[in-house]
Amino acid sequence: NICTSHRVLFCVIGVSVAVGAMQVQMPGTDASSLMALADVRSGASALIPGTQATILCCTCGAPMVWNPASMCANCIRTRVDITEGIPKSVPMQCCRACGRFLNPPKHWVACQPESKELLSICLKRIKGLNKVKLIDASFIWTEPHCRRLKVKLTVQKEVYSGVILQQAFAVELVVHNFQCTNCHMVAADNTWRAVVQVRQKVDHKRTFYLLEQLILKYKAHQQTTSVKEVPDGIDFYFLHRNHAVKFQEFLTSVIPCRPKSASEKVLSEDLNNNKVNAKYTFSVEIVPICKDDVICLHPRQHGSNGNIGPIVLCSGVTQSVKLLDPTTMQRGELRQEVYYKNPRAAIMTLKQATEYTVLDSELTGLSAGKMQQAELTLARTRDLGSNDERFRALTHLGNLLQAGDTVLGYDFTAAVFNEAETKEWPRLQLPDVLVVKKVYPEKRRRNRLWKLRSLIKEEEEGTYKSLHKASEADYERFMEDVDMDPELRQRVNVYKDPARFRIAENGALVPPPRAAPGE
């Protein structure tokens, strides 16, 4: 029997229980079992409630809770280093041109400072972490320009039988400048492997301005190496074929267009390794219908849209062409697959519009959403004071127009267009005037407090200055559409124009005075 006295002494070699002057050596006996048995025999009166029994460290003699090593944590740390084999300084590769980091073995990833993606790449660069258990990892702040990244790691490892040691330490990653594969190809003037050619057979670029804003909003241009502007469209260049295919799928999801089969040009061929170096060309054709164009529908298109028209106005372009009949206020849409079965060109575009002055406006009671139909009495602005010729027309802008306003409309009394577009309708009756949009004064444009961003585009060599002037006029019309059309404004990102604001004495931004609602 073991005495129930609380004077118990444990030694390192074995276990000896001392009662007075008598010692009994019991080598190989589990000390924790003997301590538990003595506490049970004594009724746990030898220990203070809420405390643990302690022993003395075999090295420094400090009181400690028993463990298989019989050493305190400080003594174990002085004899065992669980971070041995883990380097404290690690090189890391970063592209000088694009700022991406190398994710081993060969992928380059764009990472924000102190992000999860960057921390994951840093842990992959540190060798020896597979020999310990990683508990925590976090960044230590460093100067942005010092080209150093510091990561604090907390690891655990079993050093003796049943003894687990936890230790925290810092690893410094030195950032070295390298050149990624994409930047290397750009520097070597071998800048693309695939190109997407976007074309539209019209005499303006308003649709391309809308497409540009959609590309910027959804960041679909991140994989492009360059963007080149040509007279009838835009070319997008990519380093990989799958990036071009993905971009082509994006275009078909945001605008009505028809992708065409890709062409391949072989540059070199390795028959031994079955490798081909080729360049791919993808083509996308946008439907040649734009906002405010007049269309004469094919009989099949006329029937599939509830007998709308056949002379209809394009009220907008989204994933499909939105149609509106000002006479009946009916609405319809023309998807690209339906359009290309029976393609129809616009019989009149905005460049053929004539300016009219509203002499009288009277609502008819018909409406379509926010638009209300009205019967207008019009006169050509250039004829005011020279003759008394007047026109009567139905319009969908009844909620916006009143006597004295200026509008743009199509004059069918003097229009010249291809009769092949209307040959299916021998009894077609055309209105005298088809009103398109309201014209706002110049003051409204000067009070515009916002602006749009644009892509960095290269121009084709030999571009004439006349094309630049036409592009500026088209861009201004597109800005007017964004300003006046709430649905179009929701599809693009609009930014404040810093040049239109002034700084007050207290540091606040003060906008210029707004135009009156009627201006």
Side-chain angles (χ1 to χ4, degrees):
N1 295 332
I2 300 177
C3 182
T4 59
S5 173
H6 66 278
R7 298 176 59 194
V8 181
L9 176 66
F10 296 94
C11 66
V12 177
I13 298 176
V15 179
S16 63
V17 181
V19 182
M22 184 179 65
Q23 294 185 356
V24 181
Q25 298 288 341
M26 301 179 63
T29 307
D30 188 359
S32 61
S33 301
L34 294 176
M35 180 182 288
L37 183 60
D39 290 342
V40 172
R41 293 287 182 88
S42 63
S45 60
L47 297 177
I48 300 174
T51 62
Q52 279 185 308
T54 60
I55 65 173
L56 300 180
C57 175
C58 66
T59 303
C60 64
M64 53 165 282
V65 179
W66 180 86
N67 59 54
S70 298
M71 287 189 292
C72 62
N74 294 331
C75 295
I76 294 177
R77 290 193 183 98
T78 58
R79 285 165 172 76
V80 180
D81 184 13
I82 64 174
T83 64
E84 185 179 4
I86 301 177
K88 304 304 185 293
S89 180
V90 179
M92 194 171 183
Q93 291 76 29
C94 176
C95 180
R96 182 192 296 270
C98 61
R100 296 186 297 173
F101 290 89
L102 176 61
N103 187 14
K106 60 180 181 179
H107 297 288
W108 294 84
V109 182
C111 303
Q112 296 295 329
E114 299 188 5
S115 61
K116 294 181 180 179
E117 295 79 8
L118 183 57
L119 182 61
S120 175
I121 295 176
C122 293
L123 295 178
K124 289 182 180 179
R125 304 297 298 178
I126 302 175
K127 298 180 180 179
L129 290 180
N130 56 342
K131 299 179 182 179
V132 296
K133 181 181 179 181
L134 182 63
I135 301 300
D136 187 27
S138 60
F139 280 103
I140 300 175
W141 185 85
T142 56
E143 291 287 345
H145 61 275
C146 68
R147 310 296 294 175
R148 298 289 190 275
L149 297 175
K150 288 187 177 181
V151 180
K152 181 182 178 182
L153 302 178
T154 304
V155 295
Q156 284 184 355
K157 186 178 180 181
E158 185 176 353
V159 293
Y160 293 104
S161 177
V163 178
I164 297 176
L165 186 62
Q166 179 172 311
Q167 187 172 346
F169 63 102
V171 178
E172 184 181 63
L173 295 102
V174 183
V175 179
H176 297 280
N177 287 324
F178 272 69
Q179 196 173 39
C180 66
T181 307
N182 296 352
C183 296
H184 179 72
M185 295 179 68
V186 172
D189 200 17
N190 189 10
T191 57
W192 62 278
R193 284 286 180 268
V195 58
V196 179
Q197 298 176 342
V198 185
R199 299 291 185 267
Q200 188 182 30
K201 299 176 182 179
V202 293
D203 56 353
H204 59 81
K205 288 183 173 292
R206 285 186 293 138
T207 304
F208 289 104
Y209 292 131
L210 172 61
L211 177 61
E212 180 182 22
Q213 297 305 316
L214 295 176
I215 291 173
L216 289 170
K217 180 178 181 178
Y218 296 104
K219 300 180 181 180
H221 64 293
Q222 291 184 339
Q223 302 296 338
T224 58
T225 59
S226 62
V227 180
K228 188 175 182 180
E229 188 174 8
V230 295
D232 58 343
I234 304 178
D235 295 341
F236 298 87
Y237 295 90
F238 299 87
L239 287 174
H240 303 284
R241 182 180 181 273
N242 57 339
H243 293 163
V245 173
K246 184 178 179 180
F247 184 78
Q248 188 183 38
E249 294 175 352
F250 167 78
L251 294 180
T252 57
S253 65
V254 295
I255 55 174
C257 59
R258 176 175 61 178
K260 296 184 179 180
S261 58
S263 62
E264 180 180 358
K265 180 182 179 181
V266 178
L267 302 179
S268 61
E269 187 175 4
D270 187 357
L271 298 178
N272 295 329
N273 297 323
N274 195 21
K275 292 183 178 180
V276 176
N277 184 16
K279 288 188 174 182
Y280 303 90
T281 301
F282 298 86
S283 180
V284 176
E285 182 183 358
I286 303 177
V287 171
I289 304 296
C290 305
K291 189 174 184 289
D292 299 330
D293 288 353
V294 178
I295 317 165
C296 182
L297 297 177
H298 189 273
R300 294 181 181 178
Q301 299 170 351
H302 170 73
S304 63
N305 283 280
N307 296 331
I308 184 176
I311 299 297
V312 293
L313 182 68
C314 176
S315 59
V317 177
T318 56
Q319 291 84 359
S320 59
V321 178
K322 304 299 181 181
L323 305 177
L324 174 67
D325 185 0
T327 305
T328 61
M329 298 298 288
Q330 284 184 272
R331 285 182 171 184
E333 66 175 7
L334 204 59
R335 298 186 302 273
Q336 60 92 9
E337 59 270 13
V338 177
Y339 173 83
Y340 281 109
K341 289 181 180 179
N342 302 281
R344 315 288 279 181
I347 60 176
M348 297 191 76
T349 62
L350 199 59
K351 289 186 176 181
Q352 300 170 272
T354 305
E355 191 172 287
Y356 291 87
T357 300
V358 180
L359 303 179
D360 187 24
S361 176
E362 183 179 353
L363 297 176
T364 62
L366 292 179
S367 62
K370 295 182 179 180
M371 296 181 293
Q372 297 181 4
Q373 190 185 57
E375 185 176 2
L376 303 179
T377 302
L378 306 170
R380 296 190 187 97
T381 304
R382 66 173 183 264
D383 293 342
L384 292 177
S386 60
N387 59 55
D388 295 333
E389 187 176 8
R390 297 184 180 185
F391 304 91
R392 299 189 67 85
L394 293 174
T395 180
H396 59 289
L397 304 175
N399 57 324
L400 301 176
L401 298 179
Q402 57 185 354
D405 289 340
T406 304
V407 296
L408 287 179
Y410 297 113
D411 187 359
F412 283 98
T413 60
V416 178
F417 49 85
N418 191 356
E419 293 184 358
E421 303 294 339
T422 60
K423 63 180 181 180
E424 292 89 356
W425 306 95
R427 299 181 180 180
L428 180 64
Q429 294 182 357
L430 297 175
D432 292 339
V433 177
L434 182 60
V435 177
V436 180
K437 59 191 301 185
K438 180 180 178 181
V439 178
Y440 291 90
E442 183 72 15
K443 184 178 179 181
R444 186 183 184 94
R445 187 184 69 178
R446 293 197 302 266
N447 291 335
R448 194 177 292 155
L449 303 180
W450 52 270
K451 66 176 184 178
L452 301 175
R453 293 181 179 177
S454 59
L455 292 172
I456 300 176
K457 299 184 287 291
E458 301 175 3
E459 291 185 357
E460 190 178 27
E461 296 181 1
T463 304
Y464 297 101
K465 292 184 178 180
S466 59
L467 296 178
H468 289 281
K469 294 181 180 179
S471 298
E472 292 176 0
D474 293 337
Y475 187 73
E476 180 56 35
R477 288 177 179 174
F478 173 71
M479 294 282 282
E480 291 178 359
D481 292 339
V482 175
D483 195 5
M484 301 309 303
D485 191 350
E487 295 182 0
L488 178 60
R489 196 160 53 247
Q490 290 179 356
R491 300 186 65 194
V492 301
N493 288 337
V494 179
Y495 303 91
K496 288 183 178 180
D497 188 359
R500 303 294 300 166
F501 291 79
R502 63 179 181 87
I503 301 178
E505 295 180 356
N506 58 355
L509 291 177
V510 179
R514 297 285 293 179
E519 296 182 349

